Amino acid sequence: MQPRKNQNHEYYMNKCIELAKVAKLNGDSPVGSVLVLNGEIVGEGIEGGKTFKDITFHSEIEAVRNARKLLQTPDLSDCIMYTTHEPCIMCSYVLRHHQINTIIIGLASGDIGGFSSQYPLLKDETIKKWKKPPTLVFGILEEECKQLSL
């Protein structure tokens, strides 16, 4: 019997939550992300800006770096990104650059979010070199993701 699509989302979001807990224990923001290709995790990342004293160590960017290394390609258009928090503006640029078509999000980030802020790169259609905006699915295990920040 095939699991329902939402059950798959919950499975991968639970993995993100586990990663986010590691980031929190390290003293970083509690954010975790995975990239999935054909049902297999090909990249994962935890927030590490404070740990590495480098703002680019966001979980989504780390997941992309891991996937690029494993897959040996910058084209990640067949991958699905799962992340506990809406990607920030910086991460949104990276996700669009690598052509990620679907992003599954636990909860919105507000004024720094790549969709919900004044700079919605995740839905921008004016940048010619980018393909169409990705499909965004919000609210997967939202309550569990909120609990990470408590």
Side-chain angles (χ1 to χ4, degrees), residues 73-143:
T73 181
D75 179 359
L76 301 177
S77 60
D78 290 332
C79 294
I80 299 172
M81 168 65 69
Y82 289 83
T83 186
T84 56
H85 293 69
E86 174 187 358
C88 73
I89 297 161
M90 175 179 64
C91 293
S92 296
Y93 182 94
V94 171
L95 299 177
R96 292 296 302 271
H97 177 80
H98 291 287
Q99 304 173 38
I100 295 170
N101 290 320
T102 305
I103 305 170
I104 312 300
I105 301 162
L107 64 139
S109 297
D111 63 349
I112 62 165
F115 179 83
S116 60
S117 75
Q118 291 184 47
Y119 310 101
L121 292 180
L122 289 176
K123 63 181 181 179
D124 187 281
E125 294 186 41
T126 64
I127 298 173
K128 303 282 187 263
K129 72 179 209 170
W130 287 348
K131 296 182 179 173
K132 70 177 185 149
T135 299
L136 303 174
V137 178
F138 279 89
I140 302 299
L141 299 183
E142 183 174 12
E143 286 305 313

Side-chain angles (χ1 to χ4, degrees), residues 6-7 12 42 44 47 56 70 94 104 126 136-137:
N6 197 40
Q7 286 178 320
Y12 296 115
V42 294
E44 61 181 44
E47 205 77 4
T56 66
L70 177 70
V94 171
I104 312 300
T126 64
L136 303 174
V137 178

